[in-house]
Amino acid sequence: MCGIAGQVRGDGRPVARETIEKMCSAMRHRGPDSRGLHLDGPASIAIQRLRVIDLATGDQPIYNEDRSIAVVLNGEIYNFRELRERLTRAGHKFRTEGDTEVIVHLYEDLGDACVKELHGMFAFALWESKRGRLLLARDRVGKKPLLYSQRGGCLSFASEMSALTADPEVPRDVDLNAVDAYLGAGYVPHPDSIFRGVRKLPPGSVLSWEDDRTEVNRYWRLNYGTKPTIGSAPEVHEEIREQLTRAVERRMIADVPLGAFLSGGIDSGAVVAAMARTSAAPVKTFSIGFENAEHSELPRARLIAERYGTDHHEFILKPDALLVLPSVVRHYGEPFADTSAVPSFYVSKIAAEHVTVALNGDGGDESFAGYHRYRAQARASRLDFVPRPLRRLAGRALPTAGGATSMQRARRFAQLVAASPDRRHEQLMSAISFETRAALYSNDFQAATGLPRHAEAIEGSWRAATGPDLTGRLLEVDFNTYLPDDLCAKIDIATMAHSLEARSPFLDHELLEFAASLPSEMKMHGGESKVALRMALRDWLPSEVLDGPKRGFGMPSASDWLRGELRQPVTEILLDPVSLGRGYFSEAALSGLLADHVSRRHDRGQELWTLTMLELWHREFVDGVAAPASL
């Protein structure tokens, strides 16, 4: 696991070594063990390496036999041993014992199609000096990030925004449409970024640069449309266990200590169970909990830890944990509103004190329909037989409101019923609703951007979805939007901030393809989620874990903290003349949100958190001013 960076110039001018060194220094936390640079006139690729596999000979860049091809890799190639054997038989010579070297030799044989042979999580940069050609590639799911900026015949790239913007030529003009997208989703959807001049390479894609011409191509998509004949339910359950076990075994290849995040849920519990069946030593597990026992999953995590005799570590998150927010903002590089970034940051810090690699349960919900919103969609869809005009009338009669009272829940459900399935998903996924954003925006902001936009990333993904039914389409849309841009970004940044490598067995592409091929009723049926996965794990996990209510990994206390310890600093941040001077929001509307929340008329915790993270990001990346000490 590492951070990569580089630059190519179409004007023939040599790349400044000082620029590449600065880009590397900005992401030293991703790879503190070594730095490697390849300078070739108008091109350079570089890496900050975290040594995980092949500690002695694996430092990068890695070259082919005549050193005409150089590569730097962020991530792991899990099938490198099989590929190495095949390439050796074909006559290729290897100088290292690690995984990166297979990429240069595969490229010699297959060109850009080499990515299709790689089983793993990766973002890599390859420079072919004979052709003057750069190839950037990102893994199928988007587990590893890759940002780039192209302007005036020059292309720069890096694993993190702070590294990319260390190149002084990269423009920092804020994209106001991306601000709206962030406020709607809680993140900036790919391929856009918060800066107009910076793009994200989409998951499952390659970018080639040659003679100052750039081309981006997609090499893999997860297909939800094909439903092959499957075996009996017991055979499916056995296949799930076998697929998950293989995925875990692949991710236990390491020359450094490894462990696992254990949230107390089904997915992380399944990963720990599979690890325990493979590992000769007790698995090291790490959990985060909250003071409010009603929202904490620590008791369930302990049940799993006790069953498998793990070396278990716990941490209780309290309000003072938010002192880490400035660091979170700095590492994410874009405004990011997922509250679970904070516990993820802390559990990564704890784990990094004991291990270098940590497995997690990310991806289980997207493959086996684990989110509450899928059930909400199913309930709302039962009323689709009612003519839309009548459903819209009901939605207008009970306008949307925040909060959790019975009437407020009824209002939100009425709004869902009134909407089309794609709009329902947008509503359920919104950080700040379309209507609330319209009320918040100043006249100047609306003049610059137009009215708030609906979630264009969701709309586009919905139109392209291949799933044959509602559940399949929901899973496919989340896989192509929320998973890479929120979950994968969150865990990559949180772990790499502490020089920790995260691996996600449920995001193994073979397991993903198998899960996508299963009929939807094996994922959600009669109000029960993860039907087949739960049955497959009956012998692996306690019933308290399998049958208990789902709890997210966010901070359930955030809304209360915004009424207590954080009330004053958040108010000062949002109503500060500097914040208001950006011209985005109406001061009266912001004051109204704060008053609503403090008075408990409505729960505006998510909206206030989202707005606060946006302002903290501006202070860090636009103003260059540190966050207030109270945060």
Side-chain angles (χ1 to χ4, degrees):
M1 194 68 68
C2 312
I4 62 173
Q7 185 186 97
V8 288
R9 307 191 65 92
D11 58 12
R13 291 166 49 198
V15 173
R17 184 185 186 96
E18 179 185 7
T19 296
I20 303 303
E21 294 276 9
K22 286 181 178 178
M23 295 171 77
C24 287
S25 294
M27 57 179 181
R28 187 179 181 279
H29 50 275
R30 295 188 70 93
D33 294 330
S34 70
R35 176 179 298 179
L37 277 72
H38 174 76
L39 292 168
D40 185 16
S44 177
I45 60 175
I47 185 167
Q48 287 290 149
R49 186 185 180 216
L50 178 67
R51 295 179 179 131
V52 173
I53 293 175
D54 187 15
L55 309 186
T57 67
D59 281 351
Q60 303 176 36
I62 297 292
Y63 300 89
N64 65 337
E65 291 90 340
D66 65 1
R67 297 179 68 86
S68 63
I69 299 173
V71 68
V72 288
L73 166 70
N74 170 26
E76 306 291 351
I77 308 302
Y78 300 125
N79 64 334
F80 76 95
R81 289 170 178 160
E82 300 93 316
L83 292 172
R84 182 188 177 101
E85 290 179 6
R86 189 179 95 191
L87 291 163
T88 299
R89 289 195 299 270
H92 291 280
K93 306 296 183 183
F94 283 79
R95 297 184 302 103
T96 73
E97 299 298 321
D99 56 341
T100 306
E101 195 170 1
V102 301
I103 297 173
V104 291
H105 298 309
L106 280 173
Y107 180 79
E108 286 179 301
D109 289 354
L110 303 175
D112 294 2
C114 67
V115 292
K116 298 179 182 180
E117 302 293 315
L118 304 177
H119 195 137
M121 57 175 183
F122 55 84
F124 69 77
L126 181 149
W127 174 248
E128 185 180 1
S129 60
K130 291 179 180 178
R131 293 174 59 183
R133 186 173 193 266
L134 175 73
L135 179 69
L136 303 179
R138 195 174 178 200
D139 65 66
R140 294 169 176 82
V141 182
K143 287 171 278 189
K144 305 314 299 172
L146 196 54
L147 302 156
Y148 67 96
S149 174
Q150 188 170 12
R151 70 279 167 203
C154 178
L155 184 146
S156 301
F157 64 89
S159 296
E160 290 187 8
M161 187 70 79
S162 58
L164 185 63
T165 54
D167 179 349
E169 295 182 15
V170 172
R172 289 196 183 197
D173 300 321
V174 177
D175 185 341
L176 298 185
N177 289 321
V179 171
D180 176 61
Y182 158 75
L183 293 170
Y187 55 83
V188 180
H190 75 272
D192 296 331
S193 87
I194 195 64
F195 291 127
R196 190 176 294 111
V198 174
R199 306 279 282 177
K200 299 167 187 163
L201 184 64
S205 297
V206 296
L207 179 153
S208 60
W209 182 97
E210 187 174 3
D211 295 327
D212 200 22
R213 293 193 301 271
T214 301
E215 186 175 337
V216 176
N217 291 299
R218 190 80 180 250
Y219 66 86
W220 183 86
R221 293 182 187 274
L222 187 56
N223 187 349
Y224 286 80
T226 303
K227 301 294 179 186
T229 302
I230 63 170
S232 64
E235 290 173 331
V236 169
H237 302 156
E238 179 61 27
E239 182 66 18
I240 290 173
R241 289 189 292 269
E242 290 181 0
Q243 289 265 5
L244 180 58
T245 298
R246 285 197 295 272
V248 168
E249 288 175 344
R250 290 184 186 112
R251 285 154 182 80
M252 292 183 71
I253 299 172
D255 296 327
V256 292
L258 56 81
F261 295 156
L262 181 57
S263 70
I266 294 172
D267 304 330
S268 64
V271 169
V272 169
M275 290 178 72
R277 284 170 161 73
T278 302
S279 177
V283 177
K284 295 181 184 294
T285 53
F286 307 91
S287 299
I288 286 281
F290 306 95
E291 291 179 300
N292 186 340
E294 178 184 352
H295 296 292
S296 182
E297 284 199 302
L298 285 181
R300 293 185 196 172
R302 291 178 196 134
L303 287 175
I304 300 168
E306 290 168 3
R307 170 174 285 204
Y308 290 102
T310 72
D311 179 7
H312 191 54
H313 305 263
E314 295 181 351
F315 181 80
I316 300 293
L317 208 65
K318 299 178 181 180
D320 61 3
L322 296 186
L323 293 170
V324 79
L325 272 189
S327 183
V328 170
V329 170
R330 187 160 47 255
H331 281 285
Y332 277 87
E334 289 189 297
F336 190 74
D338 189 335
T339 60
S340 65
V342 174
S344 297
F345 213 74
Y346 272 99
V347 76
S348 298
K349 180 178 184 296
I350 296 164
E353 296 170 0
H354 302 271
V355 299
T356 308
V357 175
L359 277 63
N360 63 64
D362 286 356
D365 287 319
E366 288 77 13
S367 285
F368 294 97
Y371 291 122
H372 294 308
R373 58 180 175 268
Y374 302 148
R375 293 197 291 274
Q377 274 267 25
R379 288 193 296 269
S381 69
R382 292 171 192 156
L383 295 174
D384 281 350
F385 70 91
V386 178
R388 283 284 295 277
L390 291 179
R391 288 188 277 130
R392 286 173 178 161
L393 182 62
R396 287 193 294 270
L398 294 171
T400 301
T405 68
S406 296
M407 178 56 71
Q408 290 161 350
R409 285 194 294 268
R411 288 170 176 163
R412 289 198 297 274
F413 186 69
Q415 289 288 318
L416 287 180
V417 168
S420 60
D422 59 327
R423 288 284 189 259
R424 287 173 195 154
H425 195 57
E426 177 192 331
Q427 290 177 32
L428 290 164
M429 294 297 293
S430 290
I432 303 179
S433 71
F434 179 90
E435 293 79 10
T436 301
R437 293 188 341 258
L440 276 172
Y441 290 162
S442 68
N443 292 334
D444 288 344
F445 189 85
Q446 292 204 22
T449 62
L451 290 173
R453 303 182 183 194
H454 285 288
E456 295 176 351
I458 289 177
E459 290 176 354
S461 185
W462 193 276
R463 287 193 299 269
T466 60
D469 53 32
L470 177 61
T471 299
R473 292 177 80 87
L474 292 171
L475 292 171
E476 187 168 358
V477 169
D478 273 353
F479 180 83
N480 288 316
T481 56
Y482 175 71
L483 178 67
D485 291 330
D486 189 303
L487 290 188
C488 289
K490 176 188 67 181
I491 200 65
D492 174 80
I493 295 296
T495 53
M496 292 311 300
H498 300 97
S499 306
L500 178 72
E501 176 175 304
R503 298 178 178 179
S504 307
F506 275 102
L507 295 181
D508 182 283
H509 76 268
E510 291 181 357
L511 177 53
L512 287 167
E513 289 169 345
F514 172 71
S517 75
L518 296 176
S520 290
E521 57 266 26
M522 299 194 78
K523 300 166 188 174
M524 191 172 69
H525 183 70
E528 182 183 356
S529 62
K530 294 184 174 176
V531 177
L533 183 63
R534 291 176 193 269
M535 291 303 298
L537 299 174
R538 281 291 162 192
D539 293 336
W540 284 22
L541 297 176
S543 59
E544 294 91 337
V545 173
L546 289 170
D547 302 323
K550 178 178 176 57
R551 297 190 180 107
F553 196 49
M555 294 189 300
S557 301
S559 287
D560 291 335
W561 293 347
L562 287 166
R563 294 186 181 107
E565 294 90 339
L566 293 181
R567 174 184 172 182
Q568 188 64 29
V570 166
T571 300
E572 291 175 355
I573 287 171
L574 295 182
L575 299 183
D576 187 289
V578 172
S579 307
L580 296 173
R582 303 192 196 285
Y584 295 170
F585 307 118
S586 156
E587 181 176 1
L590 284 173
S591 298
L593 276 185
L594 288 160
D596 270 357
H597 190 70
V598 172
S599 68
R600 297 183 182 270
R601 283 194 300 270
H602 305 302
D603 186 342
R604 299 295 191 183
Q606 181 62 57
E607 290 99 322
L608 294 174
W609 182 272
T610 302
L611 292 164
T612 301
M613 296 302 283
L614 175 64
E615 177 56 27
L616 292 179
W617 174 83
H618 270 86
R619 296 185 181 194
E620 177 71 33
F621 280 85
V622 179
D623 303 343
V625 178
S630 55
L631 284 177

